[in-house]
Amino acid sequence: MSKRILIVEDEASIRDMVAFALRRAEMEPVHAADAHAALVAIADRVPDLILLDWMLPGLSGLELARRLRQDPRTAEIPIIMLTARGEEVDRVSGLEAGVDDYVVKPFSTRELIARIKAVLRRTQADGGTGSLEVGALRIDGPAHRVYAGDAKVEIGPTEYRLLHFFMSHAERVYSRAQLLDQVWGGSVYIDERTVDVHIRRLRKTLEPFALDGLVQTVRGTGYRLSATP
Ligand code: CA
């Protein structure tokens, strides 16, 4: 089935160029000229990925990304942000808003399609096989086992769930509250400090394999799992 890609961009010429490239790559483009139109399109049918322009009239791309991440129905949709060169400094706020990747304008459609495919591969890595890989780490989902290279990792049940969540959403930053929600199911009896405790345990578990650096603290925001230090 072809992937449905929502293009949120106010410049019709860019929208058309991207739509043309998507069709050629056998993907199905859907257009939205602003955040409102994007929300209408998403309510109609959840896309496989969103290409989101940073500078939009009305609600900005960044604000829309934040909103989508807060809604459980849309929190998992991969987002690639389209930014102008000067907006590159704001990369950090975009990553904090949960954006999966960036493409800086002007971009070649060939580069854009490659990035879209990479993000789709990464975010849908679990599709069917139940196996996830980030760097030297691998999770065998059905067997509930974690491997560092060829070595089996002994891991506690909470750390396993935490790691599984991180590996299914690699490179994305999550706040403590979001992790509580996603990994602990939003139990009101659990304190946000619990997250820190389990992050520490997870790092300790990965330390003998020199993979503890994959679990990264993002100052003032939360945590992420990244294949790059
Ligand atoms: Ca724009």
Side-chain angles (χ1 to χ4, degrees), residues 8-11 14 53-57 82 87 105:
V8 191
E9 164 66 75
D10 53 319
E11 279 170 69
I14 297 180
D53 184 29
W54 188 292
M55 296 294 282
L56 290 169
L82 307 175
E87 294 154 11
K105 291 179 187 173

Side-chain angles (χ1 to χ4, degrees), residues 165-185:
F165 176 76
F166 271 139
M167 286 179 71
S168 336
H169 305 84
E171 311 299 333
R172 268 194 208 166
V173 182
Y174 289 92
S175 68
R176 287 168 180 81
Q178 286 171 319
L179 288 170
L180 270 186
D181 230 39
Q182 301 281 340
V183 180
W184 281 265

Side-chain angles (χ1 to χ4, degrees), residues 124-189:
Q124 291 162 8
D126 204 6
T129 70
S131 175
L132 291 167
E133 265 185 76
V134 176
L137 268 184
R138 184 165 62 82
I139 279 188
D140 178 347
H144 251 250
R145 289 211 169 124
V146 180
Y147 296 90
D150 291 329
K152 184 166 175 267
V153 179
E154 295 300 334
I155 190 166
T158 306
E159 285 70 50
Y160 176 86
R161 279 204 319 247
L162 187 58
L163 183 64
H164 191 282
F165 176 76
F166 271 139
M167 286 179 71
S168 336
H169 305 84
E171 311 299 333
R172 268 194 208 166
V173 182
Y174 289 92
S175 68
R176 287 168 180 81
Q178 286 171 319
L179 288 170
L180 270 186
D181 230 39
Q182 301 281 340
V183 180
W184 281 265
S187 165
V188 290
Y189 302 106

Side-chain angles (χ1 to χ4, degrees), residues 19-20 25 29 53 61 95 104 109 112 121 153 163 177 192 200 212 222 229:
F20 181 75
D53 184 29
L95 285 173
V104 178
T109 49
L112 182 68
R121 260 201 309 276
V153 179
L163 183 64
E192 286 192 8
R200 267 202 300 279
D212 48 309

Side-chain angles (χ1 to χ4, degrees), residues 93-111:
S93 24
L95 285 173
E96 285 167 3
V99 165
D100 294 274
D101 201 0
Y102 278 84
V103 173
V104 178
K105 291 179 187 173
F107 51 80
S108 74
T109 49
R110 181 196 290 246
E111 182 200 353

